Amino acid sequence: MSQTYGSESDLEKSIRTGPAYLEGLATPFNSQDWIDEEWTGTLDIRGQRRFRIRYYGELFEGLIVGTEDAPQLVYGEDEFTGELFLLFDGCSHGYNAMLCDEYNDEQRNRKAALTYRDEDGEELFEIRATAYYNIDWDDEFGEEVDEEGRLALISGQKIPFEIAKRNGFDAIGIVAINSKGNQTEILQEELA
């Protein structure tokens, strides 16, 4: 059965991909409600949808923020195996981290040693991430892409241009939903 779309924008929303590092780890959430520059996904690993949140950073007004030493780092942790799934690394993800801000090895190698607990005292959550894409990468960087289709980042690393566009979002938000259905925004970051 073929699917019919009301406009090209509907088709684009139905096939839009979010951050490349979340591919295979997050399933799109309510894509019909996305605004044009938005992608939202729910962490979903082999059907498991509840995770601990491990992080590096500080809590400020309920949000995980960076410290004086380094940007925040956030993982979802499998409650049974302890396996970590990267949700956001302020040293690597987003426009500024990829193209403007430089970080040393110590900053990049920080550990997500803290466990997030919400106001209800819970520490297992459904985790939903939303990335926003308001940058015209083709216009801004198209001429800087090499013959192999790679873009040089500020770190000197070269990555495929399509991956740069997906991981170079200009804002991100992460929401934790506890067993009672209470939603808490745990990360909100402007990255461009």
Side-chain angles (χ1 to χ4, degrees):
M1 180 173 167
S2 66
Q3 192 167 6
T4 306
Y5 299 94
S7 69
E8 191 172 332
S9 179
D10 290 340
L11 176 60
E12 289 171 4
K13 284 183 190 179
S14 72
I15 60 174
R16 182 177 314 140
T17 54
Y21 65 93
L22 288 176
E23 190 167 324
L25 302 177
T27 57
F29 177 77
N30 280 353
S31 60
Q32 71 278 3
D33 294 334
W34 293 350
I35 58 172
D36 288 340
E37 302 83 15
E38 175 184 339
W39 175 90
T40 300
T42 300
L43 192 61
D44 185 347
I45 312 297
R46 299 174 294 277
Q48 181 177 331
R49 295 179 71 150
R50 294 183 52 76
F51 301 87
R52 280 190 183 83
I53 296 168
R54 304 281 293 168
Y55 69 96
Y56 167 88
E58 300 173 340
L59 291 179
F60 178 74
E61 296 182 2
L63 296 172
I64 298 169
V65 299
T67 67
E68 288 182 8
D69 298 323
Q72 66 273 63
L73 175 66
V74 183
Y75 287 94
E77 179 185 42
D78 185 300
E79 68 176 305
F80 303 108
T81 67
E83 186 176 1
L84 297 174
F85 303 97
L86 183 61
L87 298 170
F88 177 71
D89 181 348
C91 287
S92 301
H93 303 138
Y95 182 93
N96 285 344
M98 294 172 65
L99 299 164
C100 303
D101 301 334
E102 296 187 60
Y103 299 102
N104 61 40
D105 288 342
E106 186 177 333
Q107 290 170 310
R108 290 186 176 282
N109 295 321
R110 65 216 184 284
K111 302 292 182 218
L114 301 171
T115 301
Y116 179 82
R117 285 179 188 80
D118 69 4
E119 289 182 1
D120 294 326
E122 293 194 28
E123 61 177 57
L124 285 175
F125 305 96
E126 180 176 322
I127 302 170
R128 195 168 298 141
T130 300
Y132 297 91
Y133 297 91
N134 292 298
I135 296 165
D136 186 338
W137 282 77
D138 293 316
D139 185 53
E140 194 167 332
F141 297 104
E143 292 181 13
E144 296 180 34
V145 176
D146 69 16
E147 60 279 348
E148 296 174 356
R150 297 181 174 274
L151 178 69
L153 305 181
I154 193 161
S155 65
Q157 177 187 15
K158 288 187 172 187
I159 65 171
F161 190 45
E162 292 306 311
I163 299 298
K165 288 188 218 181
R166 291 175 65 188
N167 291 347
F169 38 83
D170 57 283
I172 188 169
I174 298 177
V175 173
I177 304 151
N178 71 16
S179 65
K180 299 173 184 173
N182 295 333
Q183 297 186 28
T184 304
E185 189 167 34
I186 62 165
L187 186 129
Q188 180 182 39
E189 200 66 30
E190 295 279 336
L191 303 164

